[in-house]
Amino acid sequence: MREYDSCGVGFVCNIKGEASNKIVRWGIEAVKNLTHRGAIGGDGKTGDGAGILIGIPRKFFADYIKDNGLNTDVENLAVGVFFLYEDVRSQIESYVNDSPFKLVAWREVPVEKSAVGETALKVMPKIFHLLLDTSHVEEEKREVQLYLLRRLIERDKKINEKVYIASLSSRTMVYKGMMVALQLDNFYIDLKDERIESHFCLFHQRYSTNTFPNWKLAQPFRCLAHNGEINTIQGNRNWMNALQNELEHEVFGENIKLIRPLVSYDESDSASLDRVFELMCLVGYSPEHSINMLIPPAWEMMPNIPSHVKAFFEFQSLLMKPWDGPASVAFTDGKVIGAHLDRNGLRPARYVLTADGFLVLGSEVGIVDLESRKLKEKGRLGPGDTLLVDFKTGEIRKTDTILKELSSIKPYAEWLSKHLVRLSQIVKESTVEDPQEDPDRIRKQVAF
């Protein structure tokens, strides 16, 4: 396997959730050192895409609010990153005005156009930050309401081809584009500002395999970044489209129709994966639960997996068909951050943890200069492994612990025993002694 023939993905974080500009700088440094994992156009500047996903830099926006005489509390600020191909801000504002949020301001993001190539420049959108006051919405409901606002805008057929919402959240935001990683902080002038602070930085350098380069398809997406290909993507999309008309949830109520369509056949496999992962997190699945349901390990024939863990995965398999790789995925909801490998484990994911609480995980070792810090631990993810950092507790959880916790949430084994009807039981119970009674019985059983 030629490990450099693939996307570069990973993250840098402070496991205690302490924000700093150093985290952002390290994330940019890391993705720059993965430039060789992306494709570069003939102009030397146009790339398949590069970007970072960070926590909202409150200090930066507090100064912006103050300097512009805006009336809002930065702690209640949500930020949207909008790619506008035409100026449809007035139409977007009409949706904001009907939402529980208050429009604070549009901020045109300062960029250096010479940092991207001619090809990318021809199709480059204008990039705006939409600042929203969320103070009238309970904190735990903000992400759902922001998602519904985004879906209303995305479903408007008059403007949906003229706008792409890279992120809209009260926790996280994206800086990305159709460029090579080396140009990321040259293009986005914000990223040179020391007030841009975050407790994590998830990064991605894209190598396009199943779609053409596009500003919209640069990663990270709203929750995750992915290295590899989802080889089962047509079946996964068909499954989601078959389910979408049957879905209902108390979180959405009558707004459930807004989630449709769940995925698009025109987007990349990673974009579809991100959409489903995001939806699962919004309705109450933890990020680690969501990623293990979507990309399960090879649990079926593994004798060393405990029976209660197998019961957990068998139950999930009735709800979700595997999105099989090869896949290495880094993901976050702003509260936790993690990484996961698919069952094949054919994409690298290595990590180092320093004694003072900095964790670097990526497609390669040595992507960040840790300035002679003492290392506490280093390792790599294997097939089906998950690593998770909880910023609230500062705890790092790994596969065995995560699966033990997930499998104990509900009585999955009991549910399966009580409610699951297995084909082997039906065949055994219905087999007739005299084949003349129904000579086609076995053929029918095999067929159906």
Side-chain angles (χ1 to χ4, degrees), residues 19 38 48 109 138 148 197 212 234 254 260 337 419:
D48 278 354
V109 180
E138 296 175 41
L148 293 174
E197 297 181 345
F212 289 109
Q234 183 172 346
E254 294 180 359
R260 300 193 291 264
I337 196 167
H419 301 291

Side-chain angles (χ1 to χ4, degrees), residues 17-126:
E18 297 171 358
S20 68
N21 180 250
K22 181 185 289 293
I23 293 290
V24 179
R25 296 306 312 162
W26 274 348
I28 295 171
E29 177 188 347
V31 74
K32 284 183 177 182
N33 285 331
L34 293 172
T35 298
H36 59 282
R37 287 183 173 269
I40 302 176
D43 57 22
K45 291 181 180 180
T46 298
D48 278 354
I52 59 172
L53 171 64
I54 61 175
I56 293 176
R58 304 286 173 184
K59 184 183 296 185
F60 176 84
F61 283 108
D63 287 347
Y64 179 83
I65 290 168
K66 181 180 178 181
D67 294 344
N68 289 274
L70 302 174
N71 183 26
T72 189
D73 178 5
V74 72
E75 295 302 320
N76 291 318
L77 187 70
V79 179
V81 180
F82 282 67
F83 289 1
L84 298 185
Y85 296 89
E86 289 185 25
D87 191 351
V88 291
R89 282 178 288 174
S90 60
Q91 293 94 316
I92 294 169
E93 287 177 20
S94 67
Y95 287 109
V96 175
N97 293 335
D98 290 335
S99 78
F101 306 111
K102 178 184 175 183
L103 191 147
V104 177
W106 287 96
R107 174 182 182 260
E108 185 167 1
V109 180
V111 298
E112 178 51 64
K113 292 184 179 180
S114 64
V116 298
E118 293 180 9
T119 305
L121 203 56
K122 289 178 181 177
V123 292
M124 189 186 97
K126 283 195 171 182

Side-chain angles (χ1 to χ4, degrees), residues 63-334:
D63 287 347
Y64 179 83
I65 290 168
K66 181 180 178 181
D67 294 344
N68 289 274
L70 302 174
N71 183 26
T72 189
D73 178 5
V74 72
E75 295 302 320
N76 291 318
L77 187 70
V79 179
V81 180
F82 282 67
F83 289 1
L84 298 185
Y85 296 89
E86 289 185 25
D87 191 351
V88 291
R89 282 178 288 174
S90 60
Q91 293 94 316
I92 294 169
E93 287 177 20
S94 67
Y95 287 109
V96 175
N97 293 335
D98 290 335
S99 78
F101 306 111
K102 178 184 175 183
L103 191 147
V104 177
W106 287 96
R107 174 182 182 260
E108 185 167 1
V109 180
V111 298
E112 178 51 64
K113 292 184 179 180
S114 64
V116 298
E118 293 180 9
T119 305
L121 203 56
K122 289 178 181 177
V123 292
M124 189 186 97
K126 283 195 171 182
I127 305 171
F128 285 87
H129 287 159
L130 173 63
L131 308 185
L132 299 176
D133 185 320
T134 67
S135 58
H136 295 294
V137 182
E138 296 175 41
E139 187 173 351
E140 64 273 13
K141 296 180 179 180
R142 289 174 183 175
E143 291 301 298
V144 170
Q145 290 298 322
L146 288 165
Y147 172 81
L148 293 174
L149 173 59
R150 193 187 89 217
R151 292 299 293 146
L152 281 166
I153 297 167
E154 289 174 337
R155 284 165 52 90
D156 187 330
K157 294 181 180 179
K158 294 180 180 179
I159 65 171
N160 62 1
E161 294 297 323
K162 303 171 185 177
V163 58
Y164 170 73
I165 306 174
S167 63
L168 179 58
S169 172
S170 61
R171 302 176 193 161
T172 62
M173 61 184 295
V174 168
Y175 284 94
K176 68 175 185 178
M178 189 175 160
M179 65 195 77
V180 292
L182 290 172
Q183 302 297 343
L184 185 60
D185 59 346
N186 292 324
F187 177 76
Y188 283 111
I189 297 171
D190 287 355
L191 298 181
K192 298 282 190 180
D193 195 313
E194 293 184 357
R195 295 170 298 172
I196 299 290
E197 297 181 345
S198 177
H199 52 300
F200 71 89
C201 182
L202 194 156
F203 52 81
H204 188 271
Q205 167 68 65
R206 187 167 186 252
Y207 184 95
S208 178
T209 52
N210 56 12
T211 52
F212 289 109
N214 189 306
W215 282 84
K216 298 177 181 180
L217 296 181
Q219 297 187 45
F221 290 108
R222 298 167 189 115
C223 297
L224 59 77
H226 166 225
N227 170 19
E229 300 82 40
I230 302 298
N231 292 329
T232 56
I233 187 61
Q234 183 172 346
N236 297 135
R237 286 172 176 155
N238 289 346
W239 177 252
M240 298 314 301
N241 284 332
L243 282 179
Q244 65 184 9
N245 292 318
E246 305 297 326
L247 294 179
E248 57 182 55
H249 199 283
E250 60 186 13
V251 165
F252 294 115
E254 294 180 359
N255 289 315
I256 192 70
K257 62 182 183 295
L258 293 178
I259 72 171
R260 300 193 291 264
L262 276 173
V263 294
S264 167
Y265 290 89
D266 297 326
E267 63 196 4
S268 66
D269 52 357
S270 308
S272 290
L273 177 64
D274 179 80
R275 283 180 182 272
V276 179
F277 177 84
E278 175 190 36
L279 183 64
M280 292 174 65
C281 291
L282 288 173
V283 299
Y285 288 99
S286 66
E288 61 270 29
H289 190 157
S290 302
I291 205 69
N292 274 283
M293 186 190 291
L294 288 164
I295 310 176
W299 58 271
E300 297 95 330
M301 304 300 291
M302 299 293 288
N304 59 327
I305 295 183
S307 59
H308 61 279
V309 174
K310 284 190 175 183
F312 164 76
F313 280 115
E314 184 171 13
F315 185 85
Q316 310 309 313
S317 72
L318 305 174
L319 307 175
M320 180 69 65
K321 303 306 177 185
W323 295 58
D324 268 340
S328 172
V329 178
F331 59 88
T332 185
D333 64 351

